[in-house]
C-alpha cells in the first residue's frame, strides 16, 4: 500500500480546491490499504485564516478525506502542554503557554530545562487523552 507523510504543511495550501487536489493525488499515489499520515491541529471550531495559511477544522478534514477516498483509522494528540493550545479555549492553558513563551524567550537553556521538566507529564497526557489541544496526528487508509 505505501505511506505518505503530510506533515505540518496542509495549512499552507490556502486554496480549498488545491487542498482537495492534493488529497486526490495522495489517493492516486497509494495502493488500497496505503496510509496517509497527517499532522495538523484539526480544530473543533473555526479559527482565524491568514493570507499565508488557512485553518481547517476536524469536520472539514473528515469530509475532504472521505470525498478523496480515505478512511480515518486513528487520530491522537501529539502535544498538550508543549505547543500553543490552538484547539483549546481554556484560559489556564493559554496562561501556561504565555509563561512557556516568556521563559523560552529569556533563555534557550531555561526553555530546555522547562521542556525537560514538563515532558514526562506531556507523555502521560498524550497517552491518556484522546483529544489534543494543538497538533494531532491522523492516520488515514486508502479505501
Amino acid at each position: 500500500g505505501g505511506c505518505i507523510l503530510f506533515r505540518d504543511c496542509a495549512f499552507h495550501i490556502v486554496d480549498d480546491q488545491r487542498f482537495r487536489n492534493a488529497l486526490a493525488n495522495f489517493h492516486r499515489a497509494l495502493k488500497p490499504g496505503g496510509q496517509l499520515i497527517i499532522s495538523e491541529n484539526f480544530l473543533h471550531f473555526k479559527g482565524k485564516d491568514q493570507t499565508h495559511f488557512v485553518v481547517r477544522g476536524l469536520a472539514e478534514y473528515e469530509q475532504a478525506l472521505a470525498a478523496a477516498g480515505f478512511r480515518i483509522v486513528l487520530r491522537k494528540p501529539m502535544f498538550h502542554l508543549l505547543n500553543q493550545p490552538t484547539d483549546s479555549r481554556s484560559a489556564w492553558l493559554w496562561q501556561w503557554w504565555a509563561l512557556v513563551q516568556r521563559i523560552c524567550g529569556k533563555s534557550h537553556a531555561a526553555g530546555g530545562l522547562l521542556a525537560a521538566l514538563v515532558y514526562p507529564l506531556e507523555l502521560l497526557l498524550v497517552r491518556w487523552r484522546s483529544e489534543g489541544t494543538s497538533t494531532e496526528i491522523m492516520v488515514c487508509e486508502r479505501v
Side-chain angles (χ1 to χ4, degrees), residues 5 13 17 40 56 87 99 122 135 142:
L5 178 61
I13 304 174
Q17 185 57 50
E40 180 64 89
R56 292 184 180 89
D87 198 20
L99 174 66
E122 180 79 283
T135 309
R142 182 192 190 272

Side-chain angles (χ1 to χ4, degrees), residues 95-117:
Q95 289 170 353
W96 162 255
W97 184 246
L99 174 66
V100 169
Q101 288 183 301
R102 278 196 305 277
I103 292 170
C104 292
K106 290 185 187 285
S107 153
H108 288 292
L113 178 60
L114 175 66
L117 292 171

Side-chain angles (χ1 to χ4, degrees), residues 3-4 13 18 33 36 43-44 88 110 118 124 130 134 137 141:
C3 182
I4 295 174
I13 304 174
R18 288 184 177 183
L36 172 63
L43 298 180
H44 290 83
S88 175
V118 173
L124 287 173
S130 60
S134 68
I137 190 156
E141 184 177 80

Side-chain angles (χ1 to χ4, degrees), residues 34-140:
Q35 293 184 328
L36 172 63
I37 301 172
I38 306 168
S39 65
E40 180 64 89
N41 288 328
F42 306 117
L43 298 180
H44 290 83
F45 52 88
K46 181 63 178 157
K48 184 179 177 188
D49 293 343
Q50 304 287 324
T51 56
H52 62 288
F53 72 86
V54 64
V55 180
R56 292 184 180 89
L58 177 60
E60 191 172 352
Y61 263 94
E62 290 170 338
Q63 292 170 348
L65 287 162
F70 287 98
R71 178 178 65 88
I72 299 169
V73 292
L74 176 72
R75 185 173 56 87
K76 291 288 291 179
M78 291 174 66
F79 300 102
H80 285 283
L81 300 174
L82 294 175
N83 199 4
Q84 183 176 10
T86 54
D87 198 20
S88 175
R89 293 187 173 146
S90 165
W92 181 89
L93 278 173
W94 282 99
Q95 289 170 353
W96 162 255
W97 184 246
L99 174 66
V100 169
Q101 288 183 301
R102 278 196 305 277
I103 292 170
C104 292
K106 290 185 187 285
S107 153
H108 288 292
L113 178 60
L114 175 66
L117 292 171
V118 173
Y119 189 65
L121 178 58
E122 180 79 283
L123 287 177
L124 287 173
L125 289 169
V126 165
R127 179 172 293 141
W128 289 341
R129 301 212 38 202
S130 60
E131 291 292 333
T133 60
S134 68
T135 309
E136 295 179 345
I137 190 156
M138 179 185 284
V139 179
C140 307

